[in-house]
């Protein structure tokens, strides 16, 4: 039986590329086949997994330029039955896609706000007068480019191939080291691995409360690879903290740290321990052939 | 001579309301008059101040529901000559603005992605089938609502008044406690006050590095009101940290903490000490009359 993998759609998004990478890895490693299901938002993607409508979900959690994907963090906190099965890191290379015969003819550039932000320097240099139009997904405007030859869109090279559209420039991201980390989540207990993620709220804004909680890890020589705060949504200045630890939750030091953490937090949610999937050149850039092969699973 | 205050435009945005509140406060307290100058982005607003084109800038830094305004943090780090003069906290109440004769006729809702996110629950309940269209500012779609009676926009009540458009529902934000904190910045040294903001990068991802830095404050009983991380943009997993302290940088404990911090950070930027402006009911909601009065300064 095929597993269903929920992701932010439509076809051609980076989230779909990540879901496809995971799906290919799953088949290679376990023989398990899967089908991809596209959802209109990250929240709906995770809700589908939390409700059992999809077996797995693949969502972006962090980009090396734009930082945390706050929608994913808020949804992970809300649907607190989700467990992380795997992390995967994908390189991001943005292309300027357009049917204009020359760059100078482009009057408007459409893309997701994060992609527009990641190419701001390039746009300021080469298309300083173009209007920037935010869209819900990088691929949203692609279907209109043939009709409007003064419009451009920023999306992946793969999206240009899938929609059969010309690339005028690539890569156009301002920083070459542009990566996005995705999480694979499900309702199953996580399988264990090199990284553990958790989040907590603190009883009140006590001076030094966070320093004390971080000291729990530091005193055990546990490396935190990431710490992020999010508003509790109760009152300005009240925060939740999300922490990634470079260790398995079953390690004795982590077990003892978590036990101590429980005493000092209001709510503590443990999203599980998981491996980080190594990406090789084959599954970095799924081709159209991969996509078509994928669709035959449905 | 009038001072120029840069803010994210156009007319009717919450940033303009914040700039106007500050401008009124400045006149009341010091007799100093000012004119508002609208810019198309937060980065361009801060660049205008950093280049001396505008005397002051008013930018959002944090919302109680959506968290940090990352664009402001990244620009503060980049234009490192900016000093914070004041913080001000404004209540946010979103209105659904439309010329539709009935809610059920609305097919699309336009607004800034943060405003759409803050009303997601209300939209799911009352307009589950409406298409959500992101815009660069809450007010961007207002001028098209008279032509398209199947469209709605989410913006402030004040924006509806300014554009003379009907409000179908208000407030529609999912959480009643919705506030945004704005910063007033300039090239002048900050004047001192109850809060201090700083940011730093650390030499490498050393285990417990952040815990050690926070311990510098905790050991002196200094309260941190906020800690946020941002990517360095060099490599995934490398962060800058932004910290707000509830004390003046001239306090001996803070001076000593900052001296110790300098020894352990790669780059340390101090954005100054500043008061938080108390908001009263008069300057919470500037009226159209206030705006017109404001424009006569130009």
């Amino acid at each position: 039986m095929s597993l269903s993998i929920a992701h932010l759609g439509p076809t051609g998004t980076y989230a779909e590329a990540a879901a496809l990478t995971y799906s290919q890895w799953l088949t290679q490693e376990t023989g398990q086949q899967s089908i991809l299901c596209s959802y209109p938002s990250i929240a709906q993607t995770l809700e589908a997994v939390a409700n059992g409508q999809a077996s797995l979900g693949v969502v972006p959690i962090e980009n090396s330029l734009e930082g945390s994907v706050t929608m994913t963090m808020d949804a992970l906190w809300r649907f607190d039955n989700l467990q992380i099965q795997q992390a995967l890191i994908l390189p991001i290379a943005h292309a300027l896609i357009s049917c204009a015969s020359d760059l100078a003819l482009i009057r408007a550039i459409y893309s997701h706000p994060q992609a527009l932000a990641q190419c701001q320097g390039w746009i300021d240099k080469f298309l300083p007068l173009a209007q920037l139009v935010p869209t819900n997904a990088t691929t949203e405007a692609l279907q209109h480019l043939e009709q409007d030859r003064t419009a451009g869109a920023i999306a992946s090279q793969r999206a240009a191939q899938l929609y059969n559209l010309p690339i005028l420039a690539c890569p156009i991201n301002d920083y070459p080291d542009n990566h996005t980390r995705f999480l694979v989540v499900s309702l199953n207990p996580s399988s264990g691995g090199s990284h553990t993620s958790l989040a907590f709220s603190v009883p009140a804004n006590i001076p030094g409360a966070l320093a004390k909680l971080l000291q729990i890890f530091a005193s055990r020589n546990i490396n935190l690879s990431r710490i992020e705060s999010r508003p509790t949504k109760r009152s300005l200045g009240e925060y939740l903290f999300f922490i990634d630890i470079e260790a398995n939750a079953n390690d004795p030091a982590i077990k003892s740290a978590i036990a101590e953490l429980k005493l000092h937090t209001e709510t503590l949610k443990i999203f599980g321990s998981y491996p980080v999937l190594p990406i090789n050149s084959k599954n970095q850039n799924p081709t159209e052939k991969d996509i078509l092969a994928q669709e035959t699973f449905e």
Side-chain angles (χ1 to χ4, degrees), chain A residues 34-226:
Chain A
S34 48
I35 54 167
L36 303 192
C37 313
S38 130
Y39 286 84
S41 72
I42 288 172
Q44 283 162 285
T45 302
L46 289 175
E47 197 179 0
V49 184
N51 294 343
Q53 209 181 321
S55 322
L56 293 153
V58 176
V59 287
I61 180 77
E62 184 185 21
N63 172 266
S64 57
L65 300 182
E66 290 307 307
S68 288
V69 183
T70 57
M71 234 178 254
T72 299
M73 294 166 75
D74 290 353
L76 275 178
W77 180 264
R78 205 162 69 243
F79 305 119
D80 57 359
N81 49 355
L82 297 175
Q83 291 286 296
I84 303 171
Q85 306 300 321
Q86 187 102 243
L88 55 161
I89 295 168
L90 283 194
I92 305 288
H94 293 305
L96 181 75
I97 303 169
S98 174
C99 297
S101 56
D102 190 278
L103 259 190
L105 299 172
I106 294 178
R107 298 274 169 275
I109 306 173
Y110 295 78
S111 196
H112 188 276
Q114 278 225 350
L116 291 172
Q118 289 169 14
C119 304
Q120 189 66 58
W122 189 91
I123 296 168
D124 286 349
K125 191 169 172 191
F126 293 102
L127 291 167
L129 300 176
Q131 190 197 350
L132 304 186
V133 187
T135 56
N136 288 309
T138 49
T139 51
E140 202 175 270
L142 294 181
Q143 55 192 310
H144 305 298
L145 293 185
E146 284 198 339
Q147 281 78 57
D148 183 357
R149 288 171 181 264
T150 66
I154 296 174
S156 66
Q157 286 177 276
R158 183 176 148 255
Q161 287 161 11
L162 290 171
Y163 288 79
N164 199 22
L165 290 165
I167 290 174
L168 296 197
C170 184
I172 62 165
N173 23 290
D174 299 330
Y175 296 83
D177 190 344
N178 189 351
H179 287 86
T180 296
R181 188 162 55 97
F182 289 84
L183 298 178
V184 181
V185 300
S186 85
L187 292 178
N188 296 330
S190 62
S191 52
S194 57
H195 285 67
T196 300
S197 292
L198 48 91
F200 53 80
S201 60
V202 285
N205 280 335
I206 304 158
L210 182 62
K212 195 176 163 185
L213 295 175
L214 295 187
Q215 201 52 37
I216 294 173
F217 296 102
S219 67
R220 290 170 174 84
N221 277 321
I222 298 167
N223 195 18
L224 303 183
S225 54
R226 178 168 169 259

Side-chain angles (χ1 to χ4, degrees), chain A residues 2-6 23 33-37 294-298:
Chain A
S2 281
L3 292 176
S4 53
I5 303 181
S23 160
Q33 294 200 330
S34 48
I35 54 167
L36 303 192
C37 313
Q294 191 60 27
E295 284 169 350
T296 61
F297 298 155
E298 295 191 61

Side-chain angles (χ1 to χ4, degrees), chain A residues 208-265:
Chain A
L210 182 62
K212 195 176 163 185
L213 295 175
L214 295 187
Q215 201 52 37
I216 294 173
F217 296 102
S219 67
R220 290 170 174 84
N221 277 321
I222 298 167
N223 195 18
L224 303 183
S225 54
R226 178 168 169 259
I227 173 164
E228 269 295 340
S229 66
R230 286 294 300 149
T232 60
K233 302 187 195 282
R234 289 187 301 224
S235 179
L236 188 69
E238 270 190 36
Y239 305 98
L240 311 172
F241 295 97
F242 285 72
I243 280 178
D244 288 354
I245 301 167
E246 287 184 6
N248 192 302
N250 284 329
D251 287 0
I254 308 282
K255 275 187 167 175
S256 127
I258 288 176
E260 195 182 337
L261 203 60
K262 275 183 186 154
L263 304 176
H264 302 285
T265 50

